[in-house]
């Protein structure tokens, strides 16, 4: 998703003149960086890849396309072979804390397993349970918090405290075996380890992994996010395409100028992107370019992509400046064909245009999300079409493994695709080509991207607004003001005929028109919370 490779807010273009080149470089904040672990890093010789001339034989062109993947495999630094990755032994962020309601249980899927997230007031702690009551397996996410602050099942009223112990069975008698049933281990809810870190709620998807979870740190945002000179923005959205499709997309900076033309990129700014791999292995991969701006990326398995861009520039009056932009994304595998994207971005310039707690940061978070959702929408149908083709190949008679055959079914001759190939290589060698889903997964069942319409794929209301505290609140405010203004229009129209003075009649009629116009404007703006069509061909 290009939101990870470009700030979700519009940034001005930055022109950098390199004296060693005759052309200036124009940048639209679209990138990434991080540091790499020294033990996984060594200096690599640059990869020389060129577009094949028209006279190059077809088999030679295919050789060039495959060479990058071969080089990436040979560059596995500090790797422990083809060992399989343990998907369940990691912290996964499931939500931004600011978008969770502590008064309500919230359902979530992680690796195909249904969870319920709720806030234990007694312990002041967020809790994650298996989303099924041990009584008759009803979903606990449909329940409520009872008078004791415990999670109560809405089916028969069984209640559970923050550690999963059953605290009440209304149907049990006060004496005898039924009274002791509440103490049975079989009456307990299944609890998963949880942790709150840097505004994110993390879940460890193994109910038996509490000891390992306690000794493992969750993936961290850079220290710059805590510094006062950096303004930060966060957003999350549930997307109806697979984890691998989204991860491939966020590993690809070169699509931004086209897929997000006039949102965060420009078609006429497309240029070669000579990225080099700095390290790769069981842990993920990292890479960077050289020069100004300094751009690099780091993938920390299983779902964290950390991106940074540093720009050395010179401004009037203030002189030399180093601009820094962070775009850090978590791409959480919810279920086959469904992924949650959580993006946290920060920058140390033009903070006035970014939402924040300071009195002078007047841009509301929900307004910034309108732009962020445009970025998501710009990718949506393109990725849907790509995923359909990959899925069809994997389900045909030959049952193609997309990760193994990637350079044969696609043509990737440029260094701009280096990180895409690195991710596909990691997923094939270490990730068993797909996440480790809970339960039995019928891969022959149609995935959402193969059956949903364009309108359903781009439904902002279900995917984002209902799950975002800022946008949900703004949507409800828009609804309320429309009702108020409709009432004002009716009252002004009815009252316009009462006064004998023509001036009063004109004033009331004018107020009626203003109210009606405001209703129309609010209704159009409200569509940004629900659905806005995106047609690439209509953006000149």
């Amino acid at each position: 998703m290009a939101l990870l490779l470009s700030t979700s807010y519009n940034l001005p273009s930055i022109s950098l003149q390199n004296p060693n080149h005759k052309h200036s470089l124009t940048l639209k904040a679209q990138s990434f960086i991080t540091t790499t672990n020294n033990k996984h890093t060594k200096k690599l010789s640059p990869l020389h890849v060129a577009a094949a001339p028209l006279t190059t034989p077809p088999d030679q062109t295919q050789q060039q396309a495959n060479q990058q993947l071969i080089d990436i495999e040979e560059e596995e630094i500090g790797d422990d072979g083809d060992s399989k990755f343990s998907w369940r032994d990691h912290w996964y962020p499931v939500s931004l804390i600011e978008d969770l309601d502590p008064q309500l249980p919230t359902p979530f899927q992680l690796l195909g397993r249904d969870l319920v997230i709720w806030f234990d007031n007694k312990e002041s702690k967020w809790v994650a349970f298996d989303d099924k009551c041990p009584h008759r397996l009803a979903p606990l996410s449909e329940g409520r918090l009872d008078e004791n602050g415990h999670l109560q099942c809405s089916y028969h009223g069984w209640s559970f405290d923050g550690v999963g112990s059953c605290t009440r069975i209304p149907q049990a008698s006060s004496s005898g075996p039924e009274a002791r049933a509440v103490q049975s281990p079989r009456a307990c809810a299944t609890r998963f380890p949880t942790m709150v870190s840097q505004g994110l709620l993390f879940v460890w998807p193994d109910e038996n992994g509490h000891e390992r979870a306690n000794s493992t740190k969750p993936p961290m945002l850079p220290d710059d996010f805590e510094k006062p000179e950096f303004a930060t923005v966060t957003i999350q959205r549930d997307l109806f395409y697979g984890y691998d499709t989204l991860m491939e997309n966020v590993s690809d900076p070169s699509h931004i100028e086209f897929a997000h033309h006039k949102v965060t990129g420009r078609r006429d700014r497309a240029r070669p992107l000579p990225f080099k791999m700095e390290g790769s292995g069981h842990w993920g991969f990292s890479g960077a370019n050289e020069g100004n701006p300094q751009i690099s990326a780091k993938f920390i398995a299983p779902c964290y992509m950390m991106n940074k861009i540093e720009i050395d520039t010179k401004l009037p009056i203030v002189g030399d400046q180093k601009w820094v932009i962070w775009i850090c994304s978590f791409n959480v595998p919810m279920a086959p064909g469904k992924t949650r994207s959580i993006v946290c971005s920060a920058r140390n310039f033009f903070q006035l245009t970014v939402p924040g707690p300071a009195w002078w940061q007047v841009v509301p978070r929900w307004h910034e999300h309108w732009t962020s959702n445009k970025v998501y929408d710009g990718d949506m149908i393109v990725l849907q079409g790509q995923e359909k083709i990959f899925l069809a190949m994997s389900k045909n008679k030959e049952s193609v493994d997309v990760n193994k055959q990637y350079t044969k079914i696609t043509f990737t001759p440029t260094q701009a695709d280096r990180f895409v190939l690195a991710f596909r290589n990691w997923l094939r060698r270490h990730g068993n080509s797909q996440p480790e889903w809970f339960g039995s997964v019928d891969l022959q069942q149609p995935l959402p991207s193969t059956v949903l319409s364009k309108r359903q794929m781009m439904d902002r209301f279900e995917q984002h607004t209902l799950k975002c505290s800022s946008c949900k609140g703004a949507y409800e405010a828009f609804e309320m003001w429309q009702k108020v203004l409709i009432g004002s229009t009716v009252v002004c129209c009815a009252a316009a005929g009462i006064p004998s003075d023509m001036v009063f009649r004109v004033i009331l009629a004018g107020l009626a028109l203003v109210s009606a116009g405001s209703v129309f404007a609010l209704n159009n703006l409200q569509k940004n919370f629900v659905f806005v069509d995106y047609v690439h061909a209509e953006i000149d």
Side-chain angles (χ1 to χ4, degrees):
M1 235 292 304
L3 187 59
L4 316 183
L5 305 174
S6 171
T7 51
S8 59
Y9 27 76
N10 287 315
L11 290 179
S13 301
I14 305 160
S15 294
L16 301 169
Q17 188 69 40
N18 189 330
N20 298 322
H21 297 276
K22 63 180 181 179
H23 298 297
S24 63
L25 168 66
T26 304
L27 172 71
K28 181 86 171 181
Q30 64 187 48
S31 63
F32 37 164
I33 191 176
T34 189
T35 58
T36 54
N37 191 325
N38 290 335
K39 70 178 181 180
H40 293 306
T41 307
K42 75 175 182 181
K43 186 170 179 65
L44 304 173
S45 57
L47 173 69
H48 300 288
V49 181
L54 295 177
T55 56
T56 304
D59 57 341
Q60 187 177 337
T61 357
Q62 183 62 48
Q63 248 181 354
Q64 290 175 329
N66 293 341
Q67 185 59 41
Q68 287 198 80
L69 186 57
I70 295 171
D71 290 347
I72 289 170
E73 290 178 341
E74 291 176 349
E75 288 169 359
E76 294 255 342
I77 301 164
D79 189 17
D80 45 4
D82 293 337
S83 59
K84 298 307 177 185
F85 184 79
S86 178
W87 290 83
R88 299 179 186 180
D89 284 341
H90 293 274
W91 286 108
Y92 290 83
V94 296
S95 179
L96 296 161
I97 291 295
E98 62 185 316
D99 290 327
L100 286 172
D101 188 343
Q103 304 300 319
L104 298 172
T106 302
F108 187 75
Q109 271 189 308
L110 179 59
L111 294 174
R113 190 165 191 172
D114 292 321
L115 308 178
V116 57
I117 299 163
W118 63 284
F119 189 71
D120 180 8
N121 278 299
K122 184 178 180 180
E123 299 295 330
S124 297
K125 182 179 180 180
W126 287 97
V127 179
F129 286 171
D130 202 353
D131 193 16
K132 59 183 180 185
C133 179
H135 175 214
R136 300 263 293 279
L137 310 185
L140 291 172
S141 58
E142 290 297 324
R144 58 182 284 271
L145 301 187
D146 66 15
E147 59 278 2
N148 297 315
H150 297 164
L151 180 61
Q152 185 180 82
C153 179
S154 61
Y155 198 16
H156 294 93
W158 287 33
S159 293
F160 307 89
D161 63 17
V163 296
S165 298
C166 184
T167 58
R168 184 169 182 251
I169 300 178
Q171 296 79 18
S173 62
S174 57
S175 61
E178 288 189 1
R180 294 191 295 271
V182 73
Q183 302 171 9
S184 171
R186 296 187 62 190
C188 295
T190 301
R191 181 174 65 95
F192 297 91
T194 57
M195 177 185 292
V196 174
S197 175
Q198 297 180 303
L200 291 161
L201 174 62
F202 289 84
V203 172
W204 188 277
D206 181 4
E207 65 270 33
N208 299 314
H210 288 268
E211 184 176 342
R212 183 166 172 77
N214 291 335
S215 63
T216 305
K217 291 183 178 180
M220 301 292 291
L221 296 173
D223 292 339
D224 285 347
F225 277 74
E226 307 296 330
K227 296 178 180 178
E229 63 266 29
F230 280 81
T232 62
V233 176
T234 58
I235 186 173
Q236 62 188 25
R237 181 168 172 176
D238 294 343
L239 306 170
F240 284 111
Y241 39 78
Y243 157 85
D244 58 332
T245 301
L246 179 57
M247 277 304 312
E248 178 184 317
N249 180 246
V250 303
S251 303
D252 170 28
S254 63
H255 78 283
I256 293 175
E257 309 297 2
F258 294 92
H260 308 298
H261 176 59
K262 289 190 175 179
V263 180
T264 55
R266 302 273 307 188
R267 295 179 188 126
D268 57 3
R269 293 182 187 145
R271 58 188 174 88
L273 296 174
F275 292 111
K276 300 176 184 177
M277 297 301 297
E278 294 181 339
S280 61
H282 186 271
W283 54 273
F285 63 82
S286 63
N289 75 328
E290 296 178 352
N292 184 31
Q294 173 67 46
I295 303 169
S296 67
K298 186 176 187 179
F299 166 57
I300 302 174
C303 64
Y304 185 28
M305 181 69 81
M306 191 160 52
N307 314 283
K308 184 184 182 183
I309 177 169
E310 293 178 292
I311 308 165
D312 292 320
T313 187
K314 190 171 185 177
L315 299 177
I317 303 175
V318 294
D320 293 337
Q321 297 284 305
K322 180 179 283 291
W323 290 353
V324 178
I325 306 164
W326 287 97
I327 305 97
C328 301
S329 66
F330 300 90
N331 310 288
V332 186
M334 299 176 68
K338 188 176 182 182
T339 312
R340 170 162 288 189
S341 167
I342 302 176
V343 179
C344 305
S345 57
R347 66 182 183 189
N348 66 348
F349 60 97
F350 297 148
Q351 294 93 330
L352 184 64
T353 61
V354 182
W359 64 268
W360 45 267
Q361 291 178 302
V362 296
V363 177
R365 182 173 178 243
W366 55 263
H367 185 272
E368 189 279 332
H369 284 181
W370 288 358
T371 301
S372 300
N373 277 313
K374 279 186 182 179
V375 178
Y376 282 115
D377 292 345
D379 285 325
M380 199 73 67
I381 302 305
V382 176
L383 295 183
Q384 180 189 28
Q386 180 195 49
E387 186 168 271
K388 281 183 178 180
I389 295 174
F390 284 156
L391 288 172
M393 289 180 175
S394 64
K395 293 181 180 181
N396 63 18
K397 292 181 180 179
E398 289 75 24
S399 188
V400 175
D401 186 323
V402 171
N403 297 295
K404 288 183 179 179
Q405 304 295 323
Y406 193 81
T407 57
K408 294 182 179 179
I409 60 180
T410 66
F411 184 53
T412 51
T414 72
Q415 294 180 56
D417 293 316
R418 201 115 206 239
F419 298 147
V420 172
L421 297 179
F423 168 71
R424 287 292 179 179
N425 182 55
W426 177 88
L427 189 59
R428 175 182 64 82
R429 295 192 66 180
H430 307 293
N432 198 31
S433 289
Q434 65 171 329
E436 184 182 355
W437 307 111
F438 283 92
S440 58
V441 177
D442 185 358
L443 296 179
Q444 297 304 314
Q445 286 292 319
L447 296 184
S449 63
T450 65
V451 295
L452 295 182
S453 66
K454 182 179 183 180
R455 174 66 175 77
Q456 292 169 318
M457 287 290 294
M458 298 175 63
D459 186 349
R460 295 183 181 182
F461 190 72
E462 293 288 340
Q463 297 172 15
H464 172 71
T465 300
L466 289 178
K467 301 174 177 68
C468 172
S469 58
S470 302
C471 290
K472 184 178 180 181
Y475 177 84
E476 293 171 349
F478 273 56
E479 287 272 286
M480 180 196 70
W481 279 108
Q482 285 180 77
K483 292 176 182 178
V484 169
L485 290 168
I486 288 172
S488 174
T489 302
V490 172
V491 170
C492 289
C493 285
I498 297 176
S500 58
D501 192 327
M502 183 58 68
V503 174
F504 285 122
R505 290 189 176 188
V506 171
I507 292 174
L508 289 170
L511 289 174
L513 288 173
V514 170
S515 296
S518 299
V519 171
F520 179 78
L522 284 175
N523 184 261
N524 278 326
L525 290 173
Q526 193 179 30
K527 293 176 182 176
N528 287 286
F529 297 114
V530 182
F531 169 76
V532 178
D533 197 10
Y534 200 105
V535 182
H536 288 276
E538 294 179 356
I539 306 174
D540 295 328

